Amino acid sequence: MSTTTTRRVEQPSGARRRNRVKRPRLIRQASAWVPGRAPEPLPLQDLEESAAVRWVDIYGGELSGGEVLALLGPICRGQLKDKMVRDLITPKRFACASGARYGDSPVVISSAFRIRHLQPGTNGSMPASADGVTSVFEPVQLLVGNDWLLSCWLPPRVFRGLGDPLDAVDDSSSGVYLAVAERWPTSNADSAEDLASLVRRQLAVAAGYRPTIN
């Protein structure tokens, strides 16, 4: 995948981000997914008791491993381990797209991304780049267990001319969540892996891929 408008790739300084960007929410979405039904958003404490497929979508920019284990360990019911958490929240551990399994564990991690091309004026205040378009690369890790999915959005990278669009990426996950929620009831999906596949599909569509409709 390429973009003809790219001049450079960078992550703006912490000072600029603090001045321009709202602090991202730690928990983007927490929801229970029953086959054939619309997903149900739930507080984490209620999700722990759910018999449905459980999906928690988080922002990993400022998380520690201990925080993730304390918050999400009960959702995963004993399957979540330290190394899995490190891989989930650490950008330098970006996994392969096809997935990697943890030994004999059923848990698999894979990497995906979304690219958004933002026009001048997006989110009300974004300045234009030299050619009028600024692109944002949003990496996301997907950790899939027997009946749960954790997705973690990592700090975005900016492909830009002269603009600085990071004030437009606070709710990175919401569009993907809504697209997956619309497709789930009629998809015949019934597992965490099926749910993860729908997420990957919607990320690919957002990045410009148009799958053949059977």
PDB file of all heavy atoms in Angstrom, residues 164-197:
ATOM      1  N   ASP A 164      -0.690  18.902  10.569  1.00  0.00           N
ATOM      2  CA  ASP A 164      -0.528  18.126  11.791  1.00  0.00           C
ATOM      3  C   ASP A 164      -1.909  17.650  12.230  1.00  0.00           C
ATOM      4  O   ASP A 164      -2.639  18.380  12.884  1.00  0.00           O
ATOM      5  CB  ASP A 164       0.100  18.987  12.881  1.00  0.00           C
ATOM      6  CG  ASP A 164       0.372  18.202  14.156  1.00  0.00           C
ATOM      7  OD1 ASP A 164       0.029  16.996  14.180  1.00  0.00           O
ATOM      8  OD2 ASP A 164       0.909  18.781  15.111  1.00  0.00           O
ATOM      9  N   PRO A 165      -2.327  16.407  11.862  1.00  0.00           N
ATOM     10  CA  PRO A 165      -3.720  16.011  12.030  1.00  0.00           C
ATOM     11  C   PRO A 165      -4.023  15.231  13.289  1.00  0.00           C
ATOM     12  O   PRO A 165      -5.098  14.675  13.413  1.00  0.00           O
ATOM     13  CB  PRO A 165      -3.931  15.096  10.822  1.00  0.00           C
ATOM     14  CG  PRO A 165      -2.607  14.388  10.716  1.00  0.00           C
ATOM     15  CD  PRO A 165      -1.573  15.413  11.107  1.00  0.00           C
ATOM     16  N   LEU A 166      -3.118  15.154  14.260  1.00  0.00           N
ATOM     17  CA  LEU A 166      -3.345  14.236  15.359  1.00  0.00           C
ATOM     18  C   LEU A 166      -4.531  14.593  16.229  1.00  0.00           C
ATOM     19  O   LEU A 166      -4.989  13.781  17.018  1.00  0.00           O
ATOM     20  CB  LEU A 166      -2.091  14.120  16.231  1.00  0.00           C
ATOM     21  CG  LEU A 166      -0.964  13.269  15.637  1.00  0.00           C
ATOM     22  CD1 LEU A 166       0.074  12.969  16.682  1.00  0.00           C
ATOM     23  CD2 LEU A 166      -1.475  11.995  15.000  1.00  0.00           C
ATOM     24  N   ASP A 167      -5.055  15.811  16.093  1.00  0.00           N
ATOM     25  CA  ASP A 167      -6.262  16.132  16.840  1.00  0.00           C
ATOM     26  C   ASP A 167      -7.481  15.453  16.239  1.00  0.00           C
ATOM     27  O   ASP A 167      -8.582  15.552  16.768  1.00  0.00           O
ATOM     28  CB  ASP A 167      -6.493  17.646  16.910  1.00  0.00           C
ATOM     29  CG  ASP A 167      -6.537  18.298  15.535  1.00  0.00           C
ATOM     30  OD1 ASP A 167      -6.201  17.617  14.545  1.00  0.00           O
ATOM     31  OD2 ASP A 167      -6.899  19.475  15.465  1.00  0.00           O
ATOM     32  N   ALA A 168      -7.328  14.689  15.138  1.00  0.00           N
ATOM     33  CA  ALA A 168      -8.451  14.035  14.473  1.00  0.00           C
ATOM     34  C   ALA A 168      -8.451  12.535  14.665  1.00  0.00           C
ATOM     35  O   ALA A 168      -9.208  11.832  14.027  1.00  0.00           O
ATOM     36  CB  ALA A 168      -8.413  14.352  12.982  1.00  0.00           C
ATOM     37  N   VAL A 169      -7.586  11.980  15.543  1.00  0.00           N
ATOM     38  CA  VAL A 169      -7.475  10.535  15.649  1.00  0.00           C
ATOM     39  C   VAL A 169      -7.833  10.013  17.037  1.00  0.00           C
ATOM     40  O   VAL A 169      -7.565   8.872  17.362  1.00  0.00           O
ATOM     41  CB  VAL A 169      -6.047  10.061  15.267  1.00  0.00           C
ATOM     42  CG1 VAL A 169      -5.727  10.464  13.850  1.00  0.00           C
ATOM     43  CG2 VAL A 169      -5.002  10.609  16.226  1.00  0.00           C
ATOM     44  N   ASP A 170      -8.468  10.816  17.865  1.00  0.00           N
ATOM     45  CA  ASP A 170      -8.770  10.389  19.222  1.00  0.00           C
ATOM     46  C   ASP A 170      -9.682   9.173  19.257  1.00  0.00           C
ATOM     47  O   ASP A 170      -9.479   8.262  20.047  1.00  0.00           O
ATOM     48  CB  ASP A 170      -9.413  11.545  20.000  1.00  0.00           C
ATOM     49  CG  ASP A 170      -9.768  11.136  21.425  1.00  0.00           C
ATOM     50  OD1 ASP A 170      -8.885  10.627  22.126  1.00  0.00           O
ATOM     51  OD2 ASP A 170     -10.927  11.332  21.804  1.00  0.00           O
ATOM     52  N   ASP A 171     -10.694   9.119  18.408  1.00  0.00           N
ATOM     53  CA  ASP A 171     -11.639   8.014  18.411  1.00  0.00           C
ATOM     54  C   ASP A 171     -11.374   7.056  17.260  1.00  0.00           C
ATOM     55  O   ASP A 171     -12.266   6.702  16.504  1.00  0.00           O
ATOM     56  CB  ASP A 171     -13.077   8.538  18.352  1.00  0.00           C
ATOM     57  CG  ASP A 171     -13.458   9.249  19.640  1.00  0.00           C
ATOM     58  OD1 ASP A 171     -13.056   8.760  20.701  1.00  0.00           O
ATOM     59  OD2 ASP A 171     -14.131  10.273  19.580  1.00  0.00           O
ATOM     60  N   SER A 172     -10.128   6.601  17.147  1.00  0.00           N
ATOM     61  CA  SER A 172      -9.721   5.777  16.010  1.00  0.00           C
ATOM     62  C   SER A 172     -10.593   4.558  15.815  1.00  0.00           C
ATOM     63  O   SER A 172     -10.839   4.126  14.704  1.00  0.00           O
ATOM     64  CB  SER A 172      -8.268   5.319  16.206  1.00  0.00           C
ATOM     65  OG  SER A 172      -7.396   6.401  16.304  1.00  0.00           O
ATOM     66  N   SER A 173     -11.040   3.957  16.895  1.00  0.00           N
ATOM     67  CA  SER A 173     -11.684   2.651  16.795  1.00  0.00           C
ATOM     68  C   SER A 173     -13.174   2.719  16.483  1.00  0.00           C
ATOM     69  O   SER A 173     -13.759   1.717  16.073  1.00  0.00           O
ATOM     70  CB  SER A 173     -11.499   1.890  18.102  1.00  0.00           C
ATOM     71  OG  SER A 173     -12.220   2.513  19.145  1.00  0.00           O
ATOM     72  N   SER A 174     -13.824   3.855  16.671  1.00  0.00           N
ATOM     73  CA  SER A 174     -15.273   3.868  16.652  1.00  0.00           C
ATOM     74  C   SER A 174     -15.851   3.482  15.292  1.00  0.00           C
ATOM     75  O   SER A 174     -16.840   2.746  15.218  1.00  0.00           O
ATOM     76  CB  SER A 174     -15.808   5.240  17.072  1.00  0.00           C
ATOM     77  OG  SER A 174     -15.314   6.253  16.207  1.00  0.00           O
ATOM     78  N   GLY A 175     -15.243   3.960  14.217  1.00  0.00           N
ATOM     79  CA  GLY A 175     -15.755   3.621  12.897  1.00  0.00           C
ATOM     80  C   GLY A 175     -15.642   2.145  12.600  1.00  0.00           C
ATOM     81  O   GLY A 175     -16.552   1.535  12.009  1.00  0.00           O
ATOM     82  N   VAL A 176     -14.534   1.533  12.997  1.00  0.00           N
ATOM     83  CA  VAL A 176     -14.342   0.093  12.792  1.00  0.00           C
ATOM     84  C   VAL A 176     -15.355  -0.689  13.622  1.00  0.00           C
ATOM     85  O   VAL A 176     -15.983  -1.641  13.139  1.00  0.00           O
ATOM     86  CB  VAL A 176     -12.901  -0.314  13.147  1.00  0.00           C
ATOM     87  CG1 VAL A 176     -12.737  -1.830  13.097  1.00  0.00           C
ATOM     88  CG2 VAL A 176     -11.906   0.361  12.219  1.00  0.00           C
ATOM     89  N   TYR A 177     -15.538  -0.288  14.862  1.00  0.00           N
ATOM     90  CA  TYR A 177     -16.497  -0.973  15.735  1.00  0.00           C
ATOM     91  C   TYR A 177     -17.897  -0.953  15.129  1.00  0.00           C
ATOM     92  O   TYR A 177     -18.586  -1.980  15.081  1.00  0.00           O
ATOM     93  CB  TYR A 177     -16.504  -0.311  17.112  1.00  0.00           C
ATOM     94  CG  TYR A 177     -17.572  -0.847  18.042  1.00  0.00           C
ATOM     95  CD1 TYR A 177     -17.316  -1.941  18.855  1.00  0.00           C
ATOM     96  CD2 TYR A 177     -18.831  -0.256  18.101  1.00  0.00           C
ATOM     97  CE1 TYR A 177     -18.299  -2.444  19.701  1.00  0.00           C
ATOM     98  CE2 TYR A 177     -19.815  -0.749  18.940  1.00  0.00           C
ATOM     99  CZ  TYR A 177     -19.538  -1.833  19.744  1.00  0.00           C
ATOM    100  OH  TYR A 177     -20.515  -2.330  20.570  1.00  0.00           O
ATOM    101  N   LEU A 178     -18.332   0.192  14.663  1.00  0.00           N
ATOM    102  CA  LEU A 178     -19.678   0.311  14.116  1.00  0.00           C
ATOM    103  C   LEU A 178     -19.844  -0.525  12.848  1.00  0.00           C
ATOM    104  O   LEU A 178     -20.894  -1.138  12.622  1.00  0.00           O
ATOM    105  CB  LEU A 178     -19.998   1.776  13.832  1.00  0.00           C
ATOM    106  CG  LEU A 178     -20.128   2.674  15.072  1.00  0.00           C
ATOM    107  CD1 LEU A 178     -20.274   4.133  14.660  1.00  0.00           C
ATOM    108  CD2 LEU A 178     -21.295   2.236  15.945  1.00  0.00           C
ATOM    109  N   ALA A 179     -18.793  -0.562  12.016  1.00  0.00           N
ATOM    110  CA  ALA A 179     -18.868  -1.366  10.794  1.00  0.00           C
ATOM    111  C   ALA A 179     -18.947  -2.852  11.118  1.00  0.00           C
ATOM    112  O   ALA A 179     -19.717  -3.601  10.493  1.00  0.00           O
ATOM    113  CB  ALA A 179     -17.650  -1.075   9.915  1.00  0.00           C
ATOM    114  N   VAL A 180     -18.179  -3.300  12.092  1.00  0.00           N
ATOM    115  CA  VAL A 180     -18.222  -4.711  12.495  1.00  0.00           C
ATOM    116  C   VAL A 180     -19.566  -5.039  13.136  1.00  0.00           C
ATOM    117  O   VAL A 180     -20.165  -6.091  12.874  1.00  0.00           O
ATOM    118  CB  VAL A 180     -17.062  -5.037  13.460  1.00  0.00           C
ATOM    119  CG1 VAL A 180     -17.182  -6.458  14.007  1.00  0.00           C
ATOM    120  CG2 VAL A 180     -15.721  -4.872  12.756  1.00  0.00           C
ATOM    121  N   ALA A 181     -20.078  -4.127  13.967  1.00  0.00           N
ATOM    122  CA  ALA A 181     -21.373  -4.351  14.624  1.00  0.00           C
ATOM    123  C   ALA A 181     -22.502  -4.485  13.606  1.00  0.00           C
ATOM    124  O   ALA A 181     -23.440  -5.274  13.797  1.00  0.00           O
ATOM    125  CB  ALA A 181     -21.670  -3.205  15.588  1.00  0.00           C
ATOM    126  N   GLU A 182     -22.423  -3.737  12.512  1.00  0.00           N
ATOM    127  CA  GLU A 182     -23.456  -3.820  11.479  1.00  0.00           C
ATOM    128  C   GLU A 182     -23.410  -5.160  10.752  1.00  0.00           C
ATOM    129  O   GLU A 182     -24.453  -5.731  10.401  1.00  0.00           O
ATOM    130  CB  GLU A 182     -23.270  -2.679  10.483  1.00  0.00           C
ATOM    131  CG  GLU A 182     -24.313  -2.657   9.373  1.00  0.00           C
ATOM    132  CD  GLU A 182     -24.120  -1.501   8.416  1.00  0.00           C
ATOM    133  OE1 GLU A 182     -23.150  -0.728   8.595  1.00  0.00           O
ATOM    134  OE2 GLU A 182     -24.938  -1.371   7.482  1.00  0.00           O
ATOM    135  N   ARG A 183     -22.214  -5.676  10.550  1.00  0.00           N
ATOM    136  CA  ARG A 183     -22.058  -6.904   9.765  1.00  0.00           C
ATOM    137  C   ARG A 183     -22.278  -8.171  10.596  1.00  0.00           C
ATOM    138  O   ARG A 183     -22.711  -9.199  10.074  1.00  0.00           O
ATOM    139  CB  ARG A 183     -20.664  -6.921   9.129  1.00  0.00           C
ATOM    140  CG  ARG A 183     -20.447  -8.060   8.157  1.00  0.00           C
ATOM    141  CD  ARG A 183     -19.163  -7.868   7.366  1.00  0.00           C
ATOM    142  NE  ARG A 183     -18.953  -8.960   6.445  1.00  0.00           N
ATOM    143  CZ  ARG A 183     -19.545  -9.081   5.266  1.00  0.00           C
ATOM    144  NH1 ARG A 183     -20.384  -8.140   4.862  1.00  0.00           N
ATOM    145  NH2 ARG A 183     -19.291 -10.123   4.487  1.00  0.00           N
ATOM    146  N   TRP A 184     -21.963  -8.135  11.889  1.00  0.00           N
ATOM    147  CA  TRP A 184     -21.976  -9.320  12.749  1.00  0.00           C
ATOM    148  C   TRP A 184     -23.282 -10.113  12.728  1.00  0.00           C
ATOM    149  O   TRP A 184     -23.265 -11.335  12.556  1.00  0.00           O
ATOM    150  CB  TRP A 184     -21.606  -8.903  14.169  1.00  0.00           C
ATOM    151  CG  TRP A 184     -21.799  -9.951  15.228  1.00  0.00           C
ATOM    152  CD1 TRP A 184     -22.902 -10.129  16.010  1.00  0.00           C
ATOM    153  CD2 TRP A 184     -20.864 -10.959  15.627  1.00  0.00           C
ATOM    154  NE1 TRP A 184     -22.715 -11.168  16.881  1.00  0.00           N
ATOM    155  CE2 TRP A 184     -21.480 -11.700  16.673  1.00  0.00           C
ATOM    156  CE3 TRP A 184     -19.573 -11.304  15.225  1.00  0.00           C
ATOM    157  CZ2 TRP A 184     -20.842 -12.760  17.312  1.00  0.00           C
ATOM    158  CZ3 TRP A 184     -18.939 -12.363  15.860  1.00  0.00           C
ATOM    159  CH2 TRP A 184     -19.565 -13.083  16.884  1.00  0.00           C
ATOM    160  N   PRO A 185     -24.455  -9.507  12.906  1.00  0.00           N
ATOM    161  CA  PRO A 185     -25.687 -10.305  13.033  1.00  0.00           C
ATOM    162  C   PRO A 185     -25.992 -11.187  11.833  1.00  0.00           C
ATOM    163  O   PRO A 185     -26.630 -12.236  11.976  1.00  0.00           O
ATOM    164  CB  PRO A 185     -26.777  -9.241  13.230  1.00  0.00           C
ATOM    165  CG  PRO A 185     -26.057  -8.067  13.798  1.00  0.00           C
ATOM    166  CD  PRO A 185     -24.719  -8.072  13.113  1.00  0.00           C
ATOM    167  N   THR A 186     -25.555 -10.808  10.652  1.00  0.00           N
ATOM    168  CA  THR A 186     -25.873 -11.576   9.442  1.00  0.00           C
ATOM    169  C   THR A 186     -24.661 -12.309   8.868  1.00  0.00           C
ATOM    170  O   THR A 186     -24.710 -12.830   7.757  1.00  0.00           O
ATOM    171  CB  THR A 186     -26.437 -10.643   8.353  1.00  0.00           C
ATOM    172  OG1 THR A 186     -25.471  -9.618   8.060  1.00  0.00           O
ATOM    173  CG2 THR A 186     -27.735  -9.996   8.818  1.00  0.00           C
ATOM    174  N   SER A 187     -23.579 -12.379   9.624  1.00  0.00           N
ATOM    175  CA  SER A 187     -22.318 -12.905   9.094  1.00  0.00           C
ATOM    176  C   SER A 187     -22.110 -14.395   9.356  1.00  0.00           C
ATOM    177  O   SER A 187     -21.163 -14.974   8.848  1.00  0.00           O
ATOM    178  CB  SER A 187     -21.144 -12.146   9.714  1.00  0.00           C
ATOM    179  OG  SER A 187     -21.075 -12.424  11.113  1.00  0.00           O
ATOM    180  N   ASN A 188     -22.963 -15.013  10.186  1.00  0.00           N
ATOM    181  CA  ASN A 188     -22.763 -16.398  10.637  1.00  0.00           C
ATOM    182  C   ASN A 188     -21.522 -16.559  11.514  1.00  0.00           C
ATOM    183  O   ASN A 188     -21.097 -17.683  11.787  1.00  0.00           O
ATOM    184  CB  ASN A 188     -22.668 -17.375   9.453  1.00  0.00           C
ATOM    185  CG  ASN A 188     -23.966 -17.447   8.659  1.00  0.00           C
ATOM    186  OD1 ASN A 188     -25.052 -17.455   9.229  1.00  0.00           O
ATOM    187  ND2 ASN A 188     -23.848 -17.484   7.335  1.00  0.00           N
ATOM    188  N   ALA A 189     -20.936 -15.472  11.955  1.00  0.00           N
ATOM    189  CA  ALA A 189     -19.800 -15.532  12.870  1.00  0.00           C
ATOM    190  C   ALA A 189     -20.282 -15.965  14.249  1.00  0.00           C
ATOM    191  O   ALA A 189     -21.347 -15.540  14.709  1.00  0.00           O
ATOM    192  CB  ALA A 189     -19.120 -14.169  12.960  1.00  0.00           C
ATOM    193  N   ASP A 190     -19.483 -16.813  14.914  1.00  0.00           N
ATOM    194  CA  ASP A 190     -19.909 -17.294  16.237  1.00  0.00           C
ATOM    195  C   ASP A 190     -18.747 -17.489  17.206  1.00  0.00           C
ATOM    196  O   ASP A 190     -18.902 -18.135  18.235  1.00  0.00           O
ATOM    197  CB  ASP A 190     -20.694 -18.603  16.095  1.00  0.00           C
ATOM    198  CG  ASP A 190     -19.848 -19.743  15.514  1.00  0.00           C
ATOM    199  OD1 ASP A 190     -18.639 -19.530  15.234  1.00  0.00           O
ATOM    200  OD2 ASP A 190     -20.400 -20.852  15.342  1.00  0.00           O
ATOM    201  N   SER A 191     -17.569 -16.953  16.892  1.00  0.00           N
ATOM    202  CA  SER A 191     -16.407 -17.158  17.748  1.00  0.00           C
ATOM    203  C   SER A 191     -15.571 -15.889  17.807  1.00  0.00           C
ATOM    204  O   SER A 191     -15.762 -14.955  17.020  1.00  0.00           O
ATOM    205  CB  SER A 191     -15.539 -18.302  17.213  1.00  0.00           C
ATOM    206  OG  SER A 191     -14.933 -17.934  15.977  1.00  0.00           O
ATOM    207  N   ALA A 192     -14.605 -15.884  18.738  1.00  0.00           N
ATOM    208  CA  ALA A 192     -13.706 -14.734  18.848  1.00  0.00           C
ATOM    209  C   ALA A 192     -12.851 -14.594  17.593  1.00  0.00           C
ATOM    210  O   ALA A 192     -12.573 -13.476  17.143  1.00  0.00           O
ATOM    211  CB  ALA A 192     -12.820 -14.889  20.080  1.00  0.00           C
ATOM    212  N   GLU A 193     -12.432 -15.719  17.011  1.00  0.00           N
ATOM    213  CA  GLU A 193     -11.638 -15.647  15.788  1.00  0.00           C
ATOM    214  C   GLU A 193     -12.463 -15.100  14.625  1.00  0.00           C
ATOM    215  O   GLU A 193     -11.969 -14.321  13.812  1.00  0.00           O
ATOM    216  CB  GLU A 193     -11.071 -17.018  15.434  1.00  0.00           C
ATOM    217  CG  GLU A 193     -10.228 -17.023  14.160  1.00  0.00           C
ATOM    218  CD  GLU A 193      -9.114 -15.973  14.162  1.00  0.00           C
ATOM    219  OE1 GLU A 193      -8.433 -15.815  15.184  1.00  0.00           O
ATOM    220  OE2 GLU A 193      -8.968 -15.289  13.118  1.00  0.00           O
ATOM    221  N   ASP A 194     -13.731 -15.494  14.551  1.00  0.00           N
ATOM    222  CA  ASP A 194     -14.606 -14.933  13.525  1.00  0.00           C
ATOM    223  C   ASP A 194     -14.749 -13.416  13.704  1.00  0.00           C
ATOM    224  O   ASP A 194     -14.748 -12.654  12.728  1.00  0.00           O
ATOM    225  CB  ASP A 194     -15.990 -15.571  13.589  1.00  0.00           C
ATOM    226  CG  ASP A 194     -16.005 -17.010  13.115  1.00  0.00           C
ATOM    227  OD1 ASP A 194     -15.041 -17.434  12.450  1.00  0.00           O
ATOM    228  OD2 ASP A 194     -16.984 -17.719  13.430  1.00  0.00           O
ATOM    229  N   LEU A 195     -14.892 -12.993  14.950  1.00  0.00           N
ATOM    230  CA  LEU A 195     -15.006 -11.563  15.238  1.00  0.00           C
ATOM    231  C   LEU A 195     -13.731 -10.835  14.826  1.00  0.00           C
ATOM    232  O   LEU A 195     -13.785  -9.768  14.194  1.00  0.00           O
ATOM    233  CB  LEU A 195     -15.288 -11.347  16.721  1.00  0.00           C
ATOM    234  CG  LEU A 195     -15.387  -9.901  17.211  1.00  0.00           C
ATOM    235  CD1 LEU A 195     -16.473  -9.135  16.458  1.00  0.00           C
ATOM    236  CD2 LEU A 195     -15.650  -9.866  18.717  1.00  0.00           C
ATOM    237  N   ALA A 196     -12.579 -11.415  15.158  1.00  0.00           N
ATOM    238  CA  ALA A 196     -11.306 -10.804  14.767  1.00  0.00           C
ATOM    239  C   ALA A 196     -11.185 -10.717  13.249  1.00  0.00           C
ATOM    240  O   ALA A 196     -10.655  -9.739  12.708  1.00  0.00           O
ATOM    241  CB  ALA A 196     -10.136 -11.598  15.348  1.00  0.00           C
ATOM    242  N   SER A 197     -11.679 -11.730  12.536  1.00  0.00           N
ATOM    243  CA  SER A 197     -11.633 -11.713  11.076  1.00  0.00           C
ATOM    244  C   SER A 197     -12.474 -10.569  10.515  1.00  0.00           C
ATOM    245  O   SER A 197     -12.084  -9.915   9.541  1.00  0.00           O
ATOM    246  CB  SER A 197     -12.133 -13.044  10.509  1.00  0.00           C
ATOM    247  OG  SER A 197     -11.248 -14.098  10.846  1.00  0.00           O
TER     248      SER A 197
END
